[in-house]
Amino acid sequence: MPTDTSEKGLESLIMRHMTGVDGLAVAPNTAAEVRAPYGGTGYIAGSAPDYDRAHALDVPQLFSFLRGTQPEAFRKLALADANDASDINRRKFLARLSAEIGKRGVIDVLRKGVAHGPQHFDLFYGTASPGNARAAARHAQNRFSITRQLTYSSDAPRRALDLCLFINGLPIATFELKNSLTKQTVDDAVEQYRRDRNPRERLFEFGRCVVHFAVDDSEVRMCTELRGRGSWFLPFNKGHHDGAGNPPNPHGLKTDYLWREVLTPAGLTNILENYAQIVEEKDPRTGRKKRRQVWPRYHQLRLVRQALADVRAHGAGRRYLIQHSAGSGKSNSIAWLAHQLIGLQRDGDPADQVNREVFDSVIVVTDRRLLDDQIQTTIRQFMQVGATVGHAERAGDLRRFIEQGRKIIVSTVQKFPFILDEIAIESGRTFAIIIDEAHSSQGGKTSAAMSQALGTSGDDDDAGPDPEDTVNAALEKRMAARKLLANASYFAFTATPKNKTLEMFGEPLPPDAAGRVRRRPFHSYTMKQAVEEGFILDVLKAYTPVDSYYRLVRKSEDDPEFDTRKANTKLRRYVESHAHAIRLKTEIMVDHFHAQVLAAGKIGGQARAMVVTSGIERAIQYFHAFQAYLRERKSPYQAIVAFSGEHDYGGAKVSEASLNGFASSDIAQKIQTDPYRFLICADKFQTGYDEPLLHTMYVDKLLAGIKAVQTLSRLNRGHPQKHDCCVLDFQNNSEAITYAFQDYYRTTLLADETDPNRLHDLKAALDAAQVYSPEQVRQVVAMFLDGADRDQLDPILDACVAV
């Protein structure tokens, strides 16, 4: 029998690995029976008829768990027949449990259980602490099951999911599988979810499942909330050659890490205990609350687990550089890492774990209030300890929190030199210092404060050191004085590390032939991978110097649908005369935004623009010019100006608040609402500012190196309705900008397309290129005809593809 290359074959392969059987003929109502030892990773093969569609539960698995772990409470349910759907007590209990899952989400129900009348039922037993045999025995009684071809629908009874994963009868994850050898890929699986999986079905309601996976033999994508056509699936891949996808797997399918590593009982338990959560967010403008379900991306999971493993092995005193691109979910990564560093214990004999915690406190250094709130939310979700997190805002806060034994302390980058002083005093304690080097959006004010801390001048907006320089200078000073203590570990997060940062925090590589030691990050998630995976947009693809835009307009003169006269006149006046009039450039920007962005309905009509200027005076000039021209155009939109401090202009002192008519702290919220569509900046909001509605950037400032990357990257944040972005640059050229991105973005260009009618030429070219050997061809054919499983064929095929 030849190899089964259908999605059913992939189902069988996964089932056999996880359960030891193919799961095709599991009899209903047999969950309580004693079975042979579990196969694979320790899952039970579930039965599709056992699934209760009305309550979205595998009832026999649920009752078997409760009967085995809480027999007295289960007996008090007074079920006449646990298998009889008409039993009134059975119906009441299932209705109660289903309602709680619908209200709280399955994650919370697993963690906290459910009350029913006078009884409380635990629905999941978490990981036991070292040496706790009783807790370990209870954890072993959890029932991890997976059911294939689950008929889930009440309205369309023949519709079935390929796989559904349960814990103690509660649904955790669904799967749609596809096979590229049958011309279907992960994209078809995503489309099936969007088209055929109605989010009104009980199983697909928000929070009832933790995650939905679209899987083929090469890629995995995930979604935490199904919304029909609006479902947003994100890649859950390892990455390959600093880009998207997965590397060839010499031992099986490229995607088998999903069921061999991530979704093992131990791996899934770890995610449910430390990562997955439902976050409630309040819109500050409307006061409305919105719930969002979170599941870690693969690179976040790998980073935190690798960092924890290294600390367990080596203890305190090491430095870690984490180079994660914008769009990597850095705030969640920091929050998860901070939470799990608390209580982390050194490797060793479990019986000797007294006072073996690696760190007494974790200090998070950041300038983002959003991150502070996020960390506290994360810790509350997992620990339910209100006094765990402290925010060191004033002098003395840091010392007081350390003395109080606060587990996580959040402070600002400006205080980093003083943090080093404090931990030097506490030589008997150990600290983990997590440095969020996402550059502050506070602009000149922050730069001035840091300049003061370092004893340098901060008169020029662009001259003051950024947070990365502050951290590096403080560490370098202590290293020179041999005072960098071993009682602290440092975890530095940055998207664009400078050479000094790599020198301070990077891991040394073996010396080269000349004896030079190069350094690399402990963990990286590249800009290339983030772009290819769709987490962020490629701003280089959208970059246009204004002279190039002018040539494009001229070439469009023959297009009857393109009104060139107005735009062309203004562009010609600017480009050919090299005019520097603020008014003229303002008209070009405003006209472009209305004609090319608003009229095109970018981001569903919600697009915003940023104007990057060379200084405060220039920003104020632009602000007045924008306001005047928008009124002349009878445009319904307005501009906001952003700069630090007060400035003399027109014989008077002006500030953001006096010009905008509202407080500086409201700018980030105001730009999200009409009538505000233009944000005019003077070295502010150009770094560390995440606004997915930013679509277009107008640059009237010389940019180079890291500053160019950070500034243009404001546009790359993803949004479900954001498919492109635009940069119109009045000062820089493509070569300089592309060069600036080289260290942080790697890309490959496809030169030619293959002619499908030239198969013989293709075979000759492949033979000549030695993509495969005759022995590999014979081996694959023989294995295929002998009916070998896919995980035996794919290593050979993937090795050929990777050549």
Side-chain angles (χ1 to χ4, degrees), residues 109-166:
V109 170
L110 283 171
R111 287 182 187 151
K112 300 176 183 177
V114 65
H116 178 60
Q119 306 301 317
H120 177 86
F121 292 92
D122 294 322
L123 275 305
F124 179 67
Y125 293 119
T127 305
S129 57
N132 191 333
R134 182 171 177 269
R138 293 206 304 180
H139 176 67
Q141 290 181 285
N142 289 317
R143 300 178 71 87
F144 292 81
S145 64
I146 186 163
T147 304
R148 67 185 297 180
Q149 292 302 305
L150 185 82
T151 47
Y152 62 87
S153 176
S154 300
D155 299 326
R158 297 187 63 182
R159 281 199 169 170
L161 281 163
D162 289 334
L163 296 172
C164 188
L165 187 154
F166 298 84

Side-chain angles (χ1 to χ4, degrees), residues 620 623 641 643-648 652-662 664:
I620 296 171
F623 174 74
V641 66
F643 58 90
S644 298
E646 289 187 325
H647 188 76
D648 289 318
K653 290 277 189 182
V654 296
S655 65
E656 289 174 331
S658 66
L659 293 173
N660 294 324
F662 49 80
S664 298

Side-chain angles (χ1 to χ4, degrees), residues 436-641:
D436 172 24
E437 294 181 322
H439 305 267
S440 172
S441 63
Q442 297 302 310
K445 186 184 295 183
T446 295
S447 294
M450 286 184 294
S451 298
Q452 187 177 9
L454 292 172
T456 59
S457 173
D459 296 335
D460 187 355
D461 284 335
D462 290 332
D466 65 14
E468 196 169 335
D469 294 330
T470 303
V471 171
N472 291 337
L475 284 176
E476 190 171 30
K477 181 178 179 181
R478 288 198 163 267
M479 289 173 68
R482 301 183 182 276
K483 291 182 179 179
L484 192 62
L485 302 177
N487 68 330
S489 291
Y490 301 85
F491 302 83
F493 284 76
T494 179
T496 50
K498 297 180 178 180
N499 288 336
K500 179 61 71 174
T501 306
L502 275 165
E503 181 182 334
M504 288 286 179
F505 294 97
E507 291 186 328
L509 294 169
D512 60 17
R516 293 172 299 190
V517 176
R518 300 173 60 197
R519 292 179 177 268
R520 66 180 177 190
F522 173 77
H523 192 275
S524 64
Y525 176 73
T526 66
M527 186 182 297
K528 177 187 176 186
Q529 185 173 351
V531 168
E532 291 181 357
E533 292 190 335
F535 290 130
I536 61 174
L537 280 73
D538 186 354
V539 294
L540 290 183
K541 186 178 179 181
Y543 178 84
T544 308
V546 72
D547 56 348
S548 298
Y549 179 61
Y550 170 57
R551 289 194 294 272
L552 289 174
V553 170
R554 293 190 65 182
K555 289 180 180 179
S556 303
E557 289 179 347
D558 295 332
D559 185 350
E561 296 183 4
F562 190 88
D563 182 6
T564 63
R565 288 175 299 172
K566 193 172 184 181
N568 206 14
T569 299
K570 291 174 182 175
L571 280 170
R572 181 180 293 115
R573 284 169 56 201
Y574 171 74
V575 175
E576 295 181 359
S577 67
H578 296 286
H580 292 282
I582 298 295
R583 167 69 184 206
L584 183 55
K585 285 183 279 189
T586 294
E587 292 182 14
I588 293 171
M589 295 174 191
V590 171
D591 290 345
H592 172 271
F593 189 75
H594 281 77
Q596 304 296 322
V597 181
L598 292 176
K602 300 295 185 180
I603 318 185
Q606 303 176 77
R608 266 65 182 169
M610 176 181 281
V611 181
V612 178
T613 70
S614 57
I616 294 177
E617 184 166 357
R618 186 59 54 86
I620 296 171
Q621 291 172 339
Y622 263 117
F623 174 74
H624 289 299
F626 263 76
Q627 295 295 73
Y629 187 56
L630 287 167
R631 284 194 296 269
E632 288 178 28
R633 274 190 61 116
K634 295 183 171 52
S635 170
Y637 302 116
Q638 295 181 30
I640 295 173
V641 66

Side-chain angles (χ1 to χ4, degrees), residues 155 260 313 318 372 511:
D155 299 326
R260 289 179 179 269
R318 293 166 72 92
D372 186 10

Side-chain angles (χ1 to χ4, degrees), residues 395-435:
D397 286 350
L398 182 64
R399 162 111 321 260
R400 187 174 71 258
F401 289 153
I402 290 175
E403 290 174 350
Q404 291 173 353
R406 290 285 179 100
K407 291 299 184 181
I408 296 180
I409 303 166
V410 183
S411 191
T412 62
V413 176
Q414 299 97 308
K415 293 186 176 69
F416 184 74
F418 310 112
I419 292 171
L420 295 181
D421 293 337
E422 290 290 345
I423 67 173
I425 297 172
E426 297 289 340
S427 58
R429 301 188 186 187
T430 52
F431 300 87
I433 301 179
I434 301 176
I435 306 162

